Each structure stands twice: as structure tokens, then as C-alpha cells.
Amino acid sequence: AIGEALVPAEAIGAPYRALRAFKPLLFLETTKVPGSLLLHDLPTSAVLHHLLGRAPAALQSPHAQSGITVSQYSVWMDRHADADAVSRVQQCTDAFARSPDGASAGEGVLEAISAVSDGSAA
């Protein structure tokens, strides 16, 4: 009876591919993320938010910069296009780059975020 309800994982489509691509992304060196073929199966915003987790603590997350909770930001992301979330991340990195902390800290992460963001516009 259970076997009849099971669906092959490949039939799930994009969500399955994204999940499968995200796991190896966790272990990829930051500098190698922008050129990875794994990005083809992931929403750009998911990659950027992952890279934010590798950034210096002084770089504010989009929810902190907006003054909202993580839950509120999650709801906002559900209601907006991926490009809107990409824009929010870019606003955070731009603000950090202009700050005294951003002048020297987190260069590899900022470069990776910029490269991934620029790739999403293509």
C-alpha cells in the first residue's frame, strides 16, 4: 500500500534538484561558488543567503537591515520574486562595503556575492 503512494524523487522536479544541489554547495570553497554548475539548480536568492552566512558578522542580513524578524522576512520572500530578494541582499552588501568594517573584511564573500548577483541578471 505504501509503495503505491511513493513517487520517484526525480519526478518531484525543481525542488528535488535544488535540494540535491544545495548539499554540496555547503562544502564548496567560497571562491568557487560563483562558477559552480550547482547554481543552475538553485534560486539565486538561496545561494546569496547561504553566502551571507559566510560573511563577517558585521554584515547585516536583509531582515536585520529592514528591521523585521526572520519570520517576517520569510513571509516577505514567499510573496516576492527571487529578484527582489537578490536586490535586498545587494543592498546589504553595498551598505557593508561602504562601512569602515567593509573596507577590508569579507572580501572573498563580497566578491562571491557580487559575482552570483551579476550572474542572476544575465
Side-chain angles (χ1 to χ4, degrees):
I2 293 176
E4 296 170 8
L6 296 178
V7 176
E10 293 79 16
I12 298 171
Y16 174 75
R17 288 192 306 275
L19 180 63
R20 297 285 300 180
F22 195 77
K23 184 178 177 184
L25 182 74
L26 296 172
F27 303 100
L28 204 59
E29 288 181 34
T30 301
T31 57
K32 295 183 179 180
V33 170
S36 174
L37 295 176
L38 298 169
L39 302 186
H40 297 291
D41 291 324
L42 291 165
T44 302
S45 63
V47 177
L48 294 178
H49 284 92
H50 170 68
L51 288 171
L52 281 177
R54 298 180 181 198
L59 194 159
Q60 282 191 315
S61 63
H63 79 274
Q65 189 180 52
S66 301
I68 59 176
T69 67
V70 174
S71 297
Q72 290 169 321
Y73 184 62
S74 177
V75 170
W76 180 88
M77 286 186 62
D78 289 342
R79 295 180 178 166
H80 288 81
D82 195 61
D84 296 332
V86 169
S87 177
R88 284 267 177 117
V89 171
Q90 288 174 323
Q91 290 170 10
C92 293
T93 56
D94 291 347
F96 179 73
R98 290 189 302 269
S99 74
D101 291 334
S104 60
E107 290 178 1
V109 175
L110 293 178
E111 290 170 358
I113 289 172
S114 178
V116 171
S117 296
D118 291 346
S120 73

